Amino acid sequence: MSDSSVSNPSDRVKLPTNGDRGAKTRQLLGMKGAAPGETSIWKIRLQLMKPITWIPLIWGVICGAASSGEYTWSLENLLKIAVCMVLSGPFMTGYTQTVNEYYDREIDAINEPYRPIPSGAIPLSQVIAQIIVLLLGGIGLAYVLDVWAGHEFPTITCIAIGGALLAYIYSAPPLKLKQNGWLGTYALGSSYIALPWWTGHALFGDLNWTIVILTLIYSFAGLGIAVVNDFKSIEGDRQLGLKSLPVMFGVTAAAWICVLTIDLFQAAIAAYLIYIHENLYATILLLLIIPQITFQDMYFLRDPLKNDVKYQASAQPFLVLGMLVTGLALGHAGV
Ligand SMILES: C/C(=C\COP(=O)(O)OP(=O)(O)O)CCC[C@H](C)CCC[C@H](C)CCCC(C)C
């Protein structure tokens, strides 16, 4: 698509409604239901980077620092982890989301015409420039962290490049992993759990195969969380031929796949913690699964289409706390 398609923004952009501060905030954070009509190019750029989606990756970095067992509270370490959060949030997730907005522009023109690209608020050439700046900035920052951590092998740079490639094939043709229910949701789950975890771990300790494999197993719980988001768009996905799990298996079966992957893979991690004699941490992790099962029963399984957001808001804090408990356990055990 050429830039001409977005060359006359004033024709297509609606002005913001007075006093709709909630919609303005959603706009800046890159959430659905945002207010249209932003005119500041920097706010539009931020909107493309969807800051709300940075949070899980920033949290993943903290879990990795915990699992390294080497994190101590010094000013230098605080600075290191802050830079690592900037890498995983604004740079790498910002890059990922901008690429996704770029390749979703035609479908967004139908479903979310107020988004920056379909509304014509930013020309495509500037979106491409933003993608390049975030990608090069992210890889450069990853290399700085490798040097800072004294790595002989640039582990963090490799994770950043691998993540960037994954993000590209997730959104861009010909692979467009997001069209495939299993691959797309696992890519999402692993990039939200495993990749930032590896990065935080590598920054302070030695990234090893046990951590890599454990976090890839943990990522199946992330797959379940990613599937929860597919219920809201089931009709549109079906019409567009997107094979999300709810489209492939129907609402009820997909809801069960969702909750079983979330619960069983967290339980599997707790079992591993028992195996390495981290019984207290394992017990806490198991206790944190109980409220998630309760919310699955109260909300999600009863009506996945109506209660998906309510379920995520109530249950997710327990899942993310469990990740930190696991990180601390692995760090304590010296895995
Ligand atoms: C673009 C992503 C999700 C949006 O998906 P979708 O288009 O289905 O949803 P919306 O319609 O609501 O927009 C995320 C995709 C993630 C990707 C597979 C990989 C991300 C890589 C990491 C950012 C890399 C982090 C490396 C770092 C920690 C060094």
Side-chain angles (χ1 to χ4, degrees):
M1 194 191 277
S2 80
D3 285 0
S4 60
S5 64
V6 288
S7 61
N8 195 3
S10 56
D11 289 347
R12 307 176 65 189
V13 176
K14 270 168 57 191
L15 290 171
T17 50
N18 272 347
D20 191 355
R21 290 180 58 204
K24 288 294 274 182
T25 309
R26 285 198 291 279
Q27 179 192 60
L28 267 189
L29 294 175
M31 296 163 77
K32 289 197 190 303
E38 182 55 65
T39 48
S40 154
I41 186 70
W42 294 107
K43 286 186 183 169
I44 290 164
R45 290 196 183 288
L46 192 63
Q47 200 182 341
L48 280 176
M49 291 157 66
K50 293 193 176 173
I52 192 77
T53 63
W54 304 349
I55 299 166
L57 282 99
I58 289 174
W59 185 255
V61 166
I62 297 173
C63 297
S67 72
S68 74
E70 306 276 336
Y71 183 84
T72 50
W73 291 100
S74 67
L75 180 64
E76 188 187 2
N77 282 349
L78 270 177
L79 282 174
K80 265 189 193 169
I81 202 163
V83 173
C84 195
M85 288 171 175
V86 171
L87 163 68
S88 61
F91 278 94
M92 294 312 297
T93 315
Y95 152 84
T96 299
Q97 294 296 349
T98 313
V99 169
N100 187 254
E101 292 274 303
Y102 178 84
Y103 284 105
D104 275 359
R105 61 192 185 277
E106 274 155 23
I107 178 79
D108 282 348
I110 302 164
N111 293 335
E112 297 178 81
Y114 53 82
R115 298 289 313 157
I117 301 176
S119 70
I122 182 166
L124 285 185
S125 57
Q126 296 224 26
V127 178
I128 292 168
Q130 173 163 330
I131 290 171
I132 294 169
V133 167
L134 289 172
L135 176 62
L136 295 182
I139 292 172
L141 208 52
Y143 186 71
V144 167
L145 284 172
D146 272 323
V147 173
W148 199 352
H151 290 161
E152 278 174 23
F153 180 81
T155 317
I156 299 177
T157 310
C158 289
I159 299 171
I161 293 173
L165 282 174
L166 184 63
Y168 182 79
I169 62 171
Y170 177 85
S171 295
L175 292 180
K176 230 179 184 349
L177 291 187
K178 62 179 272 182
Q179 290 183 335
N180 179 302
W182 290 112
L183 284 178
T185 41
Y186 186 71
L188 208 57
S190 59
S191 60
Y192 278 14
I193 295 184
L195 294 186
W197 195 310
W198 300 351
T199 309
H201 191 108
L203 185 59
F204 296 102
D206 285 327
L207 183 60
N208 55 61
W209 283 109
T210 310
I211 295 292
V212 169
I213 292 166
L214 271 178
T215 51
L216 286 175
I217 293 172
Y218 217 147
S219 297
F220 280 99
L223 175 148
I225 297 290
V227 176
V228 175
N229 291 326
D230 287 337
F231 286 85
K232 65 178 183 302
S233 53
I234 188 165
E235 271 318 312
D237 288 351
R238 188 174 285 135
Q239 281 165 21
L240 291 165
L242 299 187
K243 291 190 172 57
S244 71
L245 264 58
V247 169
M248 284 198 287
F249 297 105
V251 170
T252 308
W256 275 101
I257 293 173
C258 224
V259 299
L260 288 174
T261 49
I262 292 172
D263 300 340
L264 291 179
F265 284 96
Q266 287 181 90
I269 298 293
Y272 177 77
L273 295 185
I274 294 170
Y275 171 72
I276 59 168
H277 308 296
E278 293 296 334
N279 295 337
L280 176 62
Y281 290 105
T283 309
I284 299 173
L285 181 57
L286 287 171
L287 288 174
L288 286 167
I289 304 174
I290 295 172
Q292 296 177 62
I293 296 175
T294 310
F295 289 124
Q296 285 158 5
D297 178 46
M298 275 171 63
Y299 299 140
F300 190 62
L301 287 171
R302 289 185 194 199
D303 192 343
L305 299 175
K306 187 171 148 218
N307 295 331
D308 53 347
V309 176
K310 203 163 147 190
Y311 165 70
Q312 292 282 44
S314 352
Q316 272 217 35
F318 297 97
L319 180 126
V320 297
L321 262 183
M323 285 169 59
L324 183 60
V325 167
T326 304
L328 290 169
L330 297 173
H332 185 250
V335 169

